Amino acid sequence: MIVGVWRELILELYPEADLRDPADEAALAEVEKRLMLPLPFELASLLRETDGVVNEYGDAVVWSAQRLVEDNLAMRGEPDYLELYAPFDEMIFFGDSDMGPQFAYVHTDYGPGVVVWDHETDRRRLVVVSLRDYLARCLLQGNAWFR
């Protein structure tokens, strides 16, 4: 098997990572269709190499294509969430921490960025501007890197 750029990076940063088989093009198209947003290029590229990234503790650092659809649609449609939180329609959640916060792509004036969302306060804060930086921080610095 040819090792892709993302797989190589992840295994270099975190050899214990659980990498899965690649997502197929139909799954990626389904994500975009169901969420009505384009997948950021780097996230689509990673999913083409591994359909999600899980650390040794079971934390979903990057969700699978199926979970991207399921969790994002659930968050957008949950009646309590609609009442409690600002809309999620322009966000694509793609990973989480065992400490509660979730990570999402948002579009900024400078291009896509990754925000951390705190479900207790609905605070959304830009933490990194690239998936590479996100992975490095998650895999090398542990679960509290975004604080």
Side-chain angles (χ1 to χ4, degrees), residues 23-33 65:
D24 60 28
E25 291 302 319
L28 298 181
E30 185 70 11
V31 172
E32 291 183 336
K33 177 182 170 189

Side-chain angles (χ1 to χ4, degrees), residues 81-133:
Y81 281 22
L82 295 172
E83 201 172 300
L84 292 171
Y85 304 123
F88 300 121
D89 296 342
E90 298 301 317
M91 303 171 75
I92 297 179
F93 286 92
F94 70 91
D96 59 55
S97 163
D98 72 347
M99 299 176 74
Q102 295 182 327
F103 299 92
Y105 272 97
V106 296
H107 186 75
T108 71
D109 291 340
Y110 304 103
V114 176
V115 297
V116 60
W117 173 65
D118 184 327
H119 69 281
E120 293 178 4
T121 64
D122 196 26
R123 182 173 181 210
R124 301 153 192 226
R125 183 173 49 87
L126 186 68
V127 287
V128 294
V129 295
S130 75
L131 186 58
R132 180 183 180 88
D133 194 21

Side-chain angles (χ1 to χ4, degrees), residues 10-11 13-20 50-64 67 94-99 101 103 134-146:
I10 293 162
L11 292 174
L13 293 171
Y14 197 82
E16 300 85 8
D18 178 15
L19 301 179
R20 304 190 170 143
T50 177
D51 192 15
V53 178
V54 178
N55 70 18
E56 68 182 306
Y57 306 107
D59 300 326
V61 175
V62 177
W63 298 345
S64 68
R67 184 168 175 196
F94 70 91
D96 59 55
S97 163
D98 72 347
M99 299 176 74
F103 299 92
Y134 167 80
L135 290 170
R137 290 173 188 244
C138 284
L139 298 174
L140 295 176
Q141 296 178 8
N143 285 332
W145 68 268
F146 52 85

Side-chain angles (χ1 to χ4, degrees), residues 37-71:
L37 291 171
L39 274 173
F41 175 79
E42 59 187 7
L43 181 57
S45 176
L46 181 142
L47 293 171
R48 285 183 180 102
E49 292 185 27
T50 177
D51 192 15
V53 178
V54 178
N55 70 18
E56 68 182 306
Y57 306 107
D59 300 326
V61 175
V62 177
W63 298 345
S64 68
Q66 180 178 347
R67 184 168 175 196
L68 281 168
V69 171
E70 291 171 356
D71 282 26

